[in-house]
Amino acid sequence: MSATAGRATLGFRRTALTGAVLATALGGGALLAACGAGGQDGAAGGPARLSVADSYIPLPPAGGMAAGYLTVRNDGGQDQLVKVTSPGAESITMHRSTPSRMEQVGSLDVPAHGALQFSRGGTHLMIMGWQKAPVLGDELELDLTFAKSGTISVKVPVKELTYRPGQS
């Protein structure tokens, strides 16, 4: 091989090696950027997008303590319900029922791209100290406070004791 051909081959090798190193570095950077984006916009990250559906309060006997049910839907990142209050009631607490007992809880998770379900025999609200005795058709304002999303106010209707959402 001539000296000119040897230098051309060496130049080609250096150019190819430089190109390969550059491609690897750029590809690795793109991969790291993609991984970073997944952490911010993935299932657990990003802001929660909350809505409330199927809310109701069965009419309590003689205006006493009542249970409240609803579904918090989340089309975004994870959040947590930390408090429920109402201008129309003295106190509202969150409870979880098990087969053997009912326990008060301080907060409840609202999963990313999921729902927090309050239902009979499960997680529910206990509403005490009504400002005025409720009657069928009344609406009680509930202020749901979330760790990340702030407070959402909803009007919850008082329904007959046997009411079940989705059933006629």
Side-chain angles (χ1 to χ4, degrees):
M1 179 181 338
S2 71
T4 305
R7 276 186 292 221
T9 302
L10 183 59
F12 175 77
R13 286 183 185 157
R14 282 186 186 147
T15 302
L17 182 59
T18 301
V21 168
L22 184 59
T24 301
L26 291 175
L31 181 62
L32 288 174
C35 288
Q40 291 178 0
D41 297 328
R49 292 190 308 248
L50 305 173
S51 62
V52 177
D54 302 326
S55 62
Y56 70 101
I57 298 167
L59 182 64
M65 187 181 326
Y69 307 106
L70 52 91
T71 300
V72 179
R73 294 190 178 123
N74 185 0
D75 293 325
Q78 185 274 335
D79 207 338
Q80 192 173 54
L81 179 61
V82 295
K83 180 172 67 170
V84 181
T85 59
S86 174
E90 198 173 290
S91 72
I92 300 178
T93 54
M94 298 179 284
H95 290 83
R96 182 178 297 128
S97 292
T98 66
S100 60
R101 65 187 204 129
M102 179 176 71
E103 64 182 8
Q104 185 173 334
V105 295
S107 64
L108 294 163
D109 289 334
V110 183
H113 302 284
L116 169 59
Q117 180 84 35
F118 289 85
S119 61
R120 294 176 189 254
T123 303
H124 59 279
L125 301 173
M126 294 303 301
I127 304 162
M128 296 158 278
W130 292 76
Q131 299 298 321
K132 75 172 196 70
V135 296
L136 284 179
D138 279 353
E139 289 184 326
L140 180 66
E141 178 183 323
L142 295 182
D143 300 319
L144 309 171
T145 303
F146 298 89
K148 297 176 185 175
S149 301
T151 301
I152 296 174
S153 295
V154 295
K155 300 275 187 178
V156 180
V158 175
K159 300 283 191 172
E160 59 275 356
L161 186 59
T162 58
Y163 176 79
R164 302 276 197 269
Q167 295 179 354
S168 51

